[in-house]
């Protein structure tokens, strides 16, 4: 599988660039701010990706946490098992924490949108519909405050994937074809997430909704990987990642 090895080495070269590895949170924030400004100019033409039913949004972003778990679960286990089974199981608990964070934030966003909205049909308010789901089911339009869940999940998922892939930068890591394929797939997912994050910034939501979603995504990553995980009573950091980040 020489081709896979070449691709892996190209990704490793990219991630060894300090700016890419260390400034990714700021890159997301910058994209959100600049993209929001571009959206206000209305200079960007409508494209395939300005339609929310594009294939990447329908089959990747809308189930983005499923893709994240599908690829990260075996990757974290295999790369951590190189050190010990106990360490691997400890590191796997980080996915439980991440899933709890994802669920809490997304449900909170849904609650805020329901709590701040009103259902309209033909521009007439219908207060008998108290949730976005019931309003849309009845054919109405809901006008609640919609913090960008896309901005949150795409930034948060990409940041934790980048963090968990860091041990591959260690030249002493015991690589194999399965680990390499997972690494290539995870990098592919990060590329998709960044692209769709850019599309969200340029085409959807207002400025504050996107910035709030992005900030919450960065904050969730920072509190876990920069504040909590270095502590003894935690899922711990990926092996060697503290030397690379």
């Amino acid at each position: 599988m020489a081709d896979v090895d070449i691709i892996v080495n190209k990704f490793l070269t990219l991630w060894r660039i300090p700016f890419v590895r260390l400034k990714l949170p700021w890159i997301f924030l910058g994209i959100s701010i600049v993209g929001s400004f571009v959206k206000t100019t209305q200079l960007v033409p409508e494209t395939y990706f300005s339609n929310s039913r594009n294939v990447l949004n329908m089959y990747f972003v809308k189930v983005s946490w499923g893709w994240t778990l599908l690829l990260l679960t075996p990757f974290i286990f295999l790369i951590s098992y190189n050190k010990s089974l106990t360490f691997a199981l400890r590191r796997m608990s980080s996915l439980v924490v991440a899933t709890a964070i994802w669920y809490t934030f997304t449900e909170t966003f849904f609650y805020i949108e329901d709590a701040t909205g009103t259902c309209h049909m033909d521009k007439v308010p219908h207060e008998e519909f108290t949730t976005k789901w019931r309003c849309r089911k009845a054919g109405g339009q809901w006008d609640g405050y919609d913090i960008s869940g896309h901005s949150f999940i795409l930034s948060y998922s990409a940041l934790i994937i980048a963090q968990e892939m860091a041990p591959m930068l260690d030249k002493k890591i015991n690589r194999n074809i399965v680990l390499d394929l997972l690494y290539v797939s995870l990098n592919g997912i990060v590329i998709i997430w960044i692209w769709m994050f850019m599309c969200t910034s340029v085409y959807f939501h207002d400025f504050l909704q996107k910035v709030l979603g992005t900030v919450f995504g960065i904050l969730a990553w920072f509190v876990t990987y920069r504040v909590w995980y270095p502590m003894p009573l935690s899922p711990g950091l990926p092996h060697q990642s503290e030397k690379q980040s």
Side-chain angles (χ1 to χ4, degrees), residues 3-17 20-21 162 165-166 168-169 175 179-192 194:
D3 290 344
V4 174
D5 191 60
I6 292 172
I7 297 172
V8 168
N9 288 331
K10 287 186 180 296
F11 279 128
L12 290 174
T13 300
L14 175 65
W15 286 112
R16 286 193 174 101
I17 300 172
V20 175
R21 192 174 68 251
M165 291 192 302
M168 288 289 286
L169 297 174
R175 286 170 49 186
L179 199 59
D180 282 356
L181 286 172
L182 286 169
Y183 183 70
V184 171
S185 299
L186 284 166
N187 275 282
I189 284 294
V190 169
I191 291 171
I192 293 174
I194 293 174

Side-chain angles (χ1 to χ4, degrees), residues 113-169:
E113 187 175 11
D114 282 345
T116 58
T118 304
C119 185
H120 291 82
M121 295 183 185
D122 297 323
K123 298 183 180 181
V124 178
H126 287 256
E127 296 184 357
E128 65 270 25
F129 300 109
T130 56
T131 66
K132 179 179 178 179
W133 181 81
R134 290 179 178 177
C135 176
R136 287 192 168 181
K137 188 178 180 181
Q141 293 290 327
W142 190 262
D143 66 354
Y145 194 76
D146 183 17
I147 298 175
S148 178
H150 277 40
S151 295
F152 167 77
I153 191 58
L154 295 175
S155 59
Y156 179 54
S157 177
L159 287 170
I160 66 172
I161 289 174
Q163 188 82 47
E164 294 294 346
M165 291 192 302
M168 288 289 286
L169 297 174

Side-chain angles (χ1 to χ4, degrees), residues 68-176:
T68 300
L69 292 179
L70 179 67
L71 296 173
L72 264 187
T73 300
F75 180 83
I76 291 176
F77 181 80
L78 289 174
I79 206 163
S80 302
Y81 188 73
N82 284 326
K83 187 174 182 180
S84 73
L85 177 60
T86 301
F87 181 69
L89 294 175
R90 180 188 177 192
R91 291 272 33 266
M92 294 284 285
S93 67
S94 65
L95 294 177
V96 178
V97 173
T99 301
I101 290 172
W102 161 75
Y103 181 82
T104 300
F105 272 98
T106 52
E107 287 300 310
T108 300
F109 295 164
F110 290 148
Y111 174 80
I112 291 172
E113 187 175 11
D114 282 345
T116 58
T118 304
C119 185
H120 291 82
M121 295 183 185
D122 297 323
K123 298 183 180 181
V124 178
H126 287 256
E127 296 184 357
E128 65 270 25
F129 300 109
T130 56
T131 66
K132 179 179 178 179
W133 181 81
R134 290 179 178 177
C135 176
R136 287 192 168 181
K137 188 178 180 181
Q141 293 290 327
W142 190 262
D143 66 354
Y145 194 76
D146 183 17
I147 298 175
S148 178
H150 277 40
S151 295
F152 167 77
I153 191 58
L154 295 175
S155 59
Y156 179 54
S157 177
L159 287 170
I160 66 172
I161 289 174
Q163 188 82 47
E164 294 294 346
M165 291 192 302
M168 288 289 286
L169 297 174
D170 186 353
K171 295 180 180 179
K172 296 180 181 179
I173 200 72
N174 184 22
R175 286 170 49 186
N176 56 60

Side-chain angles (χ1 to χ4, degrees), residues 29-30 32-37 39-40 145 148 151 201 204-214:
L29 189 59
S32 185
I33 293 172
V34 173
S36 296
F37 172 75
K39 181 177 183 291
T40 62
Y145 194 76
S148 178
S151 295
S201 299
F204 303 100
H205 295 279
D206 66 26
F207 173 78
L208 188 57
Q209 291 170 345
K210 286 176 286 194
V211 170
L212 281 175
T214 305

